[in-house]
Amino acid sequence: MTQINNVNSTNSMNLGGIDLNNMSPFTAAALVQLEIAKTNKDSAQRYINEMKSQNDQARKYMEQADALRAINTNPAYAKYNLPENIDDLKKTLNDVEYVEKSYEKMEAQIADGTLKPDKNGLYKLDKTTDTKLHDFVNKAGHDNFPNIVRTADGSFDDLHFKYEIDDGLKEIKQYKEYLTSLLKAFEDGSIPQDMLGKDKKLDIKSIDNLITALQHKAENCNSDNQTQMVKLQDKMGQYNAFVSGSSDMIKTGAQLQQSILKS
């Protein structure tokens, strides 16, 4: 911190390591005002940094709210059974991505003629793909995959017609988008992890409440920024005043010196 001792005496007078004893009073006063101006400028910069941080936080809250709206506006998403925990969610997403790639590979092979149907026009899934498919369809709910689960009793096998592969792939892609959105929302904290659990589904009202809470947080950030803006304007006003005062001191000193030289 700048230390100014006994400005009007012959004792030591120091400003940021600069000895002011041999300076004119006007120059010394100008330097003091510049130092005060710098202090105000530093404070103003802190307010700017805080405002930027608040803006970034508000933007993050709004992005989270938008992501939750995307989840809530798709009626299919509310039908899926939720995974039991984050680890189960990640495993399910990995399995879904594996099956998606298997379906896409089958479609490519059907298109180029390297994969042929059996005498009934059916294509057979490999065992690993079929096992993973059964696992996540059973957990998410059969009603969400009508093209994959084809029988009245809700059971399904490893055989598919071409149209069932096409439409089944669409169902898998939608489920993948859902799981991806859900994982992001749980990991960034916009959805509490205690909403996960066996036989639970997304509660649209609960998601709406979370969206409202995020909006309030964003509004609070903006409100805080308005307060910081008032402080910033005050500090910048003081900065300008002290810089102007310093300039006036230098001019006055120069004018006095010119007057003395002319006399």
Side-chain angles (χ1 to χ4, degrees):
M1 181 180 292
T2 299
Q3 182 68 37
I4 303 175
N5 296 317
N6 206 5
V7 174
N8 295 317
S9 75
T10 58
N11 292 339
S12 173
M13 188 165 61
N14 184 276
L15 177 69
I18 300 174
D19 187 359
L20 304 182
N21 283 323
N22 296 322
M23 293 183 180
S24 73
F26 294 103
T27 302
L31 286 175
V32 169
Q33 293 203 57
L34 282 177
E35 183 67 15
I36 297 173
K38 180 180 180 300
T39 300
N40 281 282
K41 183 179 180 182
D42 290 344
S43 295
Q45 187 60 56
R46 286 196 297 273
Y47 291 136
I48 290 172
N49 292 340
E50 289 172 7
M51 290 169 66
K52 182 179 182 301
S53 177
Q54 291 279 51
N55 283 336
D56 291 343
Q57 188 62 59
R59 183 166 53 253
K60 177 182 176 183
Y61 288 141
M62 294 311 297
E63 287 173 353
Q64 290 176 338
D66 288 342
L68 292 183
R69 286 191 191 93
I71 292 173
N72 241 16
T73 53
N74 191 329
Y77 287 0
K79 298 177 182 178
Y80 295 121
N81 294 324
L82 288 167
E84 293 191 31
N85 51 56
I86 290 292
D87 289 339
D88 186 39
L89 197 162
K90 290 179 179 178
K91 177 187 178 302
T92 300
L93 181 56
N94 287 335
D95 288 347
V96 170
E97 290 174 340
Y98 183 96
V99 174
E100 177 189 33
K101 290 177 181 177
S102 296
Y103 267 57
E104 289 174 340
K105 181 179 178 181
M106 288 178 71
E107 290 210 313
Q109 291 175 331
I110 292 171
D112 65 22
T114 56
L115 181 63
K116 305 290 184 182
D118 65 13
K119 61 182 180 179
N120 297 311
L122 293 165
Y123 298 89
K124 186 178 179 65
L125 293 177
D126 66 87
K127 185 175 181 181
T128 300
T129 299
D130 186 56
T131 299
K132 291 180 182 294
L133 183 65
H134 271 73
D135 186 52
F136 69 71
V137 168
N138 287 336
K139 287 181 179 179
H142 289 192
D143 292 344
N144 300 298
F145 304 90
N147 290 288
I148 294 171
V149 180
R150 301 175 303 280
T151 57
D153 63 0
S155 62
F156 59 105
D157 54 35
D158 57 358
L159 296 171
H160 296 267
F161 289 108
K162 173 66 166 61
Y163 79 89
E164 291 170 343
I165 294 176
D166 296 341
D167 293 338
L169 181 58
K170 293 176 184 177
E171 293 165 357
I172 290 167
K173 285 183 179 296
Q174 177 174 262
Y175 189 46
K176 175 187 171 182
E177 290 174 1
Y178 162 78
L179 291 174
T180 302
S181 300
L182 200 62
L183 180 61
K184 184 178 183 299
F186 279 111
E187 288 185 332
D188 68 22
S190 51
I191 298 182
Q193 292 193 23
D194 60 11
M195 288 182 68
L196 289 169
K198 189 174 182 180
D199 298 326
K200 287 186 178 180
K201 297 180 190 250
L202 274 182
D203 184 330
I204 293 177
K205 183 177 179 181
S206 296
I207 297 295
D208 281 338
N209 290 338
L210 291 172
I211 292 171
T212 300
L214 288 167
Q215 289 174 325
H216 286 163
K217 288 180 180 180
E219 289 167 2
N220 287 338
C221 288
N222 293 331
S223 178
D224 289 344
N225 268 357
Q226 291 177 0
T227 301
Q228 297 293 66
M229 178 60 75
V230 173
K231 294 179 180 178
L232 172 62
Q233 291 172 338
D234 177 62
K235 290 298 180 183
M236 289 307 299
Q238 291 188 50
Y239 167 78
N240 291 329
F242 281 110
V243 169
S244 177
S246 175
S247 178
D248 290 343
M249 282 292 174
I250 293 173
K251 290 178 182 177
T252 301
Q255 290 170 355
L256 180 60
Q257 186 179 35
Q258 288 294 324
S259 176
I260 293 172
L261 290 174
K262 288 178 181 179
S263 62

